[in-house]
Each structure stands twice: as C-alpha cells, then as structure tokens.
C-alpha cells in the first residue's frame, strides 16, 4: 500500500532523514522505533505531505504522492494522528470527532461511521457534549484516533500514541489499534518503546540518526538486536551490563 523509497529530508541544510525506505502492506501494523531526534516524526510528516523529500519517492498504491499538498494526500486516504494529540479543547467531543468528516459528502456513510467509531470507543458516547479539553490524556488520545477514523482512511499514520500515558492506558490504546487492524485498517505507528513495538506490530523499522539501522518481522527480531540498532552497539552493551549487575 505504501512505498517510501530512499527519501532524504532536510530542515534547511540540516539532514533529518537520509535514505530511508519503508513499506507498509494492507492490513498491517508497522512500527518505526528510535530515540528522540532519529527522524521518526519527519518520516511520517513527509508521507502526510507536510514536508517534501529532497530526494526519493513516496507512493500510495503505486502512485507517487511525494510533494503533494497535505489536503490532497488526505483525500487519497492517508490520515495523520500527530504527536501530542492536538484536541480542539473548546469544541465538544462530538464536534472534534465530526471534524474528520469535513471532506466527505456521503451523509449516510458519515453517520454509519460515527456509530462505528463510538462502538470502538464506547466511553465517547457518554461524553459527546463534553469539551475536548476536559478529557484525560488517554481519553484525548482515543478521541484523535476516532477523529482520524472518520476520514475513512486507507492508511493511518499515528505518531507516539503512548507518549505521556500510564502503562494501563497505553495497553488500552494498543488494544484499540489491534481492533482496528483486525477490522481491516492499515497502520504506520511511530513508537519510542522497542518493547511496545515488538509486542504489538507485524514489522518493525529501527531508525537512528536519520537512517534505518534494522528492520524485519517483529516475531523474528530479538530484543538484543533491536536495542543494538536503537542505541548503537556500545551503548546497548553498557545498558545490558548495568541491567545484569
């Protein structure tokens, strides 16, 4: 479904992503993991059209979308859930959800999807008139995923869904992502936790210093190999020694 091939992205003269290639097949959850500053969010923003690659290609269903305006890419079926949730705090929960339908004209389909989304997130039905800013962090994370689903995307890009949330809430968020995948949705997720990625994703890409250091099926990658790619060999070895003693 998605082919990112050898992209380079710069902020001014500073390279943020160097030769990154990522593929996502229909019905998969694919994770990009890496430390802060690795280029994970830059990669998602490039796919979503907020940034343009200076080199390389981005294709959706075999058709190039690199350099197109974000609104055009959204119309083609890519929806971004950005880092930090970005709830409209003064709007109600229902208004936040329905913002995801602005580009749709199929009223019947919108109402069907609205009911479907509420079945995924039943607590939202009880909070439809509550201002978005009154929700907890975990509830806001679920709200922005619900809003993205209302665009009826082919591919959802989700940046750091576990950021700032407690372990039990993170477990709930990933349960929802699995439910979405099992319902036929396709997801590309940025995550800092290697454990979460290996536990929840079909395939994993480890990004460090703007480059892919390792990739493969989550079921075939070891914790040690992923940590070495994530931190670098010496740092990963030191961490393991500290853990041992």
């Amino acid at each position: 479904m998605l082919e990112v091939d050898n992209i380079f992205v710069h902020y001014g003269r500073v390279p943020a992503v160097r030769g990154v290639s990522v593929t996502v097949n229909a019905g998969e959850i694919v994770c990009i993991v890496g430390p802060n500053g690795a280029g994970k969010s830059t990669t998602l923003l490039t796919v979503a059209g907020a940034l343009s690659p200076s080199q390389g290609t981005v294709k959706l269903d075999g058709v190039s979308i690199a350099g197109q305006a974000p609104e055009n890419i959204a119309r083609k079926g890519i929806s971004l859930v950005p880092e930090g949730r970005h709830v409209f705090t003064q709007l109600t929960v229902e208004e936040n959800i329905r913002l995801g339908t602005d580009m749709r004209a199929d009223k019947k389909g919108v109402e069907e999807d609205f009911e479907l989304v509420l079945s995924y997130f039943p607590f939202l039905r009880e909070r439809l008139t509550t201002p978005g800013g009154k929700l907890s962090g975990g509830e806001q994370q679920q709200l922005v995923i619900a809003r993205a689903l209302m665009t009826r995307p082919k591919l959802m890009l989700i940046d750091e869904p576990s950021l700032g949330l407690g372990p039990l809430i993170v477990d709930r968020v990933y349960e929802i992502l699995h439910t979405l995948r099992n319902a036929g949705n396709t997801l590309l997720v940025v995550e800092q936790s290697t454990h979460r990625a290996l536990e929840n994703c079909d395939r994993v890409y480890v990004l460090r210093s703007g480059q892919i250091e390792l990739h493969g099926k989550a079921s075939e990658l070891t914790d040690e190999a992923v940590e070495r790619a994530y931190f670098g060999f010496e740092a990963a070895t030191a961490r393991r020694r500290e853990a041992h003693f």
Side-chain angles (χ1 to χ4, degrees), residues 191-207:
E191 178 58 76
Q192 278 199 27
S193 167
T194 58
H195 172 72
R196 291 283 180 191
L198 290 173
E199 188 178 65
N200 291 286
C201 297
D202 298 301
R203 291 187 297 110
V204 175
Y205 290 82
V206 183
L207 190 61

Side-chain angles (χ1 to χ4, degrees), residues 11 30-46 48 50-51 79-86 141 144-145 148 156-165 173-174 177 187-193 207:
Y11 292 106
V30 174
C31 275
I32 301 175
V33 299
N36 286 332
K40 306 183 301 296
S41 295
T42 297
T43 301
L44 284 199
L45 290 171
T46 303
L51 298 171
S79 184
L80 172 66
V81 178
E83 178 186 344
R85 296 184 273 280
H86 297 281
Q141 183 64 73
V144 293
I145 293 172
M156 290 184 66
L157 312 176
I158 305 179
D159 196 354
E160 298 276 17
S162 62
L163 185 67
L165 303 180
V173 169
Y174 272 101
L177 298 188
L187 306 119
L188 177 59
V189 180
V190 157
E191 178 58 76
Q192 278 199 27
S193 167
L207 190 61

Side-chain angles (χ1 to χ4, degrees), residues 12 33 37 49 56 59-60 65 79 82-83 96-97 102 104 107 156-157 164 187 212 223 227 233 238 244:
V33 299
K59 294 181 179 180
L60 180 67
I65 58 172
S79 184
E83 178 186 344
N96 268 278
I97 295 172
D102 279 357
R104 295 178 56 177
K107 292 184 179 180
M156 290 184 66
L157 312 176
L187 306 119
I212 298 294
D223 288 334
E227 281 195 13
F233 178 80
H244 178 72

